[in-house]
Amino acid sequence: MDNKTNQWREDFPILNQKVNDENLVYLDNAATTQKPQAIINDIDKFYQHDNANVHRGVHTLAERSTEQFEAARVKIQKFINAQHSDEIIYTKGTTDALNIIARSFGEENIHEGDEIVISYLEHHSNLIPWQQLAIKKHATLKYIELDKDGFVDLEDAKKKITDKTKIVSIAHVSNVLGVINPVKELASLAHMHGAVMVVDGAQSVPHMPVDVQDLDCDFLAFSGHKMLGPTGIGVLYGKEALLNAMPPVDYGGEMINFVHLYETSWNDLPWKFEAGTPNIAGAIVLGDAVDYLEKIGMQNIFDYENKLVAYVLPKLLKIDDLIVYGPHDPKKHTSVISFNLKDLHPHDLATGLDMEGVAVRAGHHCAQPLMGYLGVNATARASFYFYNTVEDADTLVKSIVATKEFFKNGTV
Ligand code: PMP
C-alpha cells in the first residue's frame, strides 16, 4: 500500500508536484477531490466535439449532448441503486440539493407546530435551510445528541423523533468526526412516525457503496466535486412519488409543459426541477467519474481507506499533545480525521503542515454548532481518498511532530 502499489495515484497529474520544495501530500479530500487525467480529458472532449444545449435541438450536436447528459443520469441512478432515472435531479451540489428539499417539500409540508429533527454534527448546508424553514413556518427544530464517540445517538433519536416530526435530516458521514451515522435505522424511525428521511451524502457517496433502496431514505444529496467530478454539479435523489407531489422551486425554461398567459403546467420529472440551461459538461463528466469509481469498486475504495485509517489513526493518537476528535477505534472511523495540537491554533498547525507540503484544512468546517459541542473554535482536518498512500500518512505524522517542535522550540 505504498506509492508504488497504488496504481491509481499516477492518474492524478496534480499530485505530481512540489509545494514549498516538498512533494505535495494532498489530504483535503473532504473539501474537494482531485481529478484524474481521464476526467480532465473528458471535459475537453465535450467542448471540442459535442457542445450544444440539451433537449431543445434536433441537430446532431444537440442530440449528442442530450444523449450523454441523460446517459449520465442513468449511470448515477445505477450507482446509488435508485429505482428510476427520473429520481435523479441535477443540482449545483449538496447545498443546492438540500435547499431544494427545504424550499419545495419543506414549504409544502411543514406547518406551525411541526418538528424538524437534525443533529449537532450537521454541516451548515444541512442546518440553515431547516433552521430558516422552522423560523418561517413557526415549526420546531430539534437536535439529536451525539454519543461519546460522536455518532448520532439512536437512543436520543428515539426521544427526539415523534409523531410531530415531519422531516429528519442527517449527514451519512460527518465531515469533521469521520463517523458513519446509522441513517438506515434513523430512516426506519422517521417512517414509523410518518416523517421523511433526508440523507446528506456529501461525505459518504464518494467513499463507500450507498444504496438508496437499502437505506430506504426519501432524499439523498451529494456533490460531484467530492467524487472526482467538476465543481458546480451535484445530485438530488428523491423517491418518485414524493418528487412528483412536490412543487418546482425555480421557474424558467425546460421545467414547463405548457405556458399560458396566466398559468403554467410543469414538466415531468426530473426536468420539473431543472430550470434553465444546466451544467451539461458537469453532468456528463460526473457520469464519467462514476464510471471511474465503479471500475475500482466502491467497496474496494472503502476497504482501502479503512486500511489507511487503521494505519494512521494509532500513530496520530501516539503523538503527545495531539487531541484527536471522534472515535479512537479505527474500525469506527472513516478517512476524515480532525485534530488539534494543544496550545496551538489549528491555522498555525495547517500552515506548518503546508510548509512540509501537506495540505490539510483548518477552521470550523462549516459546522459551528459542532465546534461548540466539542468545546473548540476550530480544528485541523486531514481527509484521505483512494489515491493517498501509507507514505502520505507517514508524512502527515512526521510533519505534525515537526510543526509541534517548531512552535515549541522555534526550530525543526
Ligand atoms: N454536507 C457535508 C457533510 C459536507 O462535507 C459538505 C461539503 N463540505 C456539504 C454538505 C456541502 O457540499 P457543497 O459545498 O459541495 O454543496
Side-chain angles (χ1 to χ4, degrees):
M1 239 180 31
D2 55 18
N3 280 356
K4 286 158 217 85
T5 56
N6 186 315
Q7 70 265 41
W8 309 296
R9 190 183 181 90
E10 63 194 32
D11 286 354
F12 294 79
I14 203 169
L15 298 177
N16 191 19
Q17 65 174 291
K18 299 235 182 238
V19 166
N20 293 321
D21 295 328
E22 304 288 346
N23 288 331
L24 169 65
V25 173
Y26 184 79
L27 295 177
D28 194 17
N29 294 288
T32 200
T33 60
Q34 299 303 346
K35 321 301 170 199
Q37 187 62 53
I39 293 293
I40 299 168
N41 293 347
D42 286 342
I43 297 172
D44 251 34
K45 192 171 137 251
F46 174 76
Y47 284 114
Q48 285 183 18
H49 299 284
D50 304 324
N51 179 44
N53 211 332
V54 285
H55 299 141
R56 289 171 214 159
V58 289
H59 63 79
T60 302
L61 294 194
E63 274 175 10
R64 255 194 241 153
S65 68
T66 303
E67 198 180 293
Q68 292 174 58
F69 184 76
E70 292 304 332
R73 200 188 301 275
V74 175
K75 288 181 195 174
I76 296 163
Q77 171 209 346
K78 296 200 170 128
F79 185 61
I80 59 167
N81 195 29
Q83 255 184 314
H84 311 284
S85 66
D86 62 8
E87 296 177 318
I88 305 299
I89 314 285
Y90 289 128
T91 67
K92 287 185 278 189
T94 305
T95 306
D96 189 32
L98 292 167
N99 274 281
I100 291 170
I101 307 167
R103 283 165 55 210
S104 176
F105 182 87
E107 285 278 343
E108 196 84 344
N109 292 285
I110 293 290
H111 305 289
E112 187 165 350
D114 288 343
E115 293 175 356
I116 303 165
V117 177
I118 61 173
S119 85
Y120 282 101
L121 60 64
E122 300 312 319
H123 187 282
H124 295 164
S125 67
N126 192 34
L127 190 160
I128 307 169
W130 309 120
Q131 179 193 68
Q132 294 304 306
L133 179 67
I135 292 169
K136 188 168 170 189
K137 297 286 188 157
H138 304 286
T140 305
L141 183 61
K142 284 166 123 183
Y143 287 85
I144 305 174
E145 299 280 339
L146 309 181
D147 72 11
K148 68 174 187 356
D149 281 329
F151 289 82
V152 170
D153 185 29
L154 267 182
E155 289 314 306
D156 192 52
K158 285 178 193 155
K159 293 184 207 138
K160 298 276 163 66
I161 300 170
T162 71
D163 286 346
K164 286 188 182 169
T165 308
K166 293 287 180 298
I167 298 169
V168 179
S169 190
I170 300 291
H172 197 177
V173 169
S174 162
N175 66 316
V176 175
L177 300 174
V179 290
I180 304 177
N181 286 314
V183 287
K184 185 171 173 171
E185 290 77 3
L186 288 164
S188 142
L189 258 179
H191 293 152
M192 260 169 50
H193 292 280
V196 296
M197 180 71 201
V198 181
V199 174
D200 171 355
Q203 299 295 347
S204 61
V205 173
H207 297 274
M208 58 197 269
V210 172
D211 178 331
V212 289
Q213 293 189 65
D214 177 55
L215 295 179
D216 197 20
C217 57
D218 299 288
F219 299 101
L220 172 77
F222 56 100
S223 299
H225 70 95
K226 293 183 198 283
M227 48 187 285
L228 313 180
T231 51
I233 186 75
V235 171
L236 162 60
Y237 156 81
K239 283 184 183 162
E240 196 180 56
L242 286 169
L243 290 174
N244 266 326
M246 282 159 52
V249 288
D250 290 323
Y251 304 122
E254 280 302 302
M255 49 77 62
I256 52 89
N257 195 1
F258 284 107
V259 180
H260 306 282
L261 282 182
Y262 299 105
E263 58 181 22
T264 295
S265 60
W266 313 132
N267 202 343
D268 294 334
L269 290 177
W271 308 293
K272 180 172 81 173
F273 290 102
E274 294 178 358
T277 300
N279 182 349
I280 303 165
I284 293 171
V285 172
L286 179 56
D288 296 339
V290 163
D291 285 342
Y292 185 102
L293 291 170
E294 283 191 321
K295 219 160 45 189
I296 303 174
M298 293 311 294
Q299 189 61 45
N300 291 335
I301 289 174
F302 186 60
D303 293 344
Y304 178 81
E305 289 183 26
N306 282 341
K307 274 192 210 155
L308 275 180
V309 174
Y311 178 82
V312 75
L313 191 58
K315 289 191 179 347
L316 292 171
L317 289 167
K318 276 200 200 117
I319 301 175
D320 272 345
D321 296 338
L322 192 78
I323 304 145
V324 179
Y325 303 98
H328 287 183
D329 176 355
K331 288 198 194 71
K332 294 181 177 174
H333 212 121
T334 66
S335 58
V336 177
I337 307 177
S338 289
F339 46 84
N340 268 324
L341 262 177
K342 213 168 132 231
D343 300 329
L344 191 66
H345 194 282
H347 282 140
D348 290 334
L349 174 53
T351 305
L353 294 181
D354 186 55
M355 294 312 294
E356 309 285 328
V358 180
V360 302
R361 187 145 294 246
H364 53 61
H365 313 294
C366 298
Q368 284 179 356
L370 175 58
M371 294 294 116
Y373 198 88
L374 297 173
V376 296
N377 290 322
T379 74
R381 179 187 72 187
S383 50
F384 294 77
Y385 209 16
F386 60 86
Y387 43 67
N388 290 120
T389 60
V390 162
E391 282 181 17
D392 292 343
D394 283 336
T395 309
L396 171 70
V397 172
K398 213 172 65 204
S399 304
I400 292 173
V401 173
T403 305
K404 182 180 127 177
E405 293 308 314
F406 175 81
F407 279 97
K408 211 151 94 190
N409 309 321
T411 169
V412 187

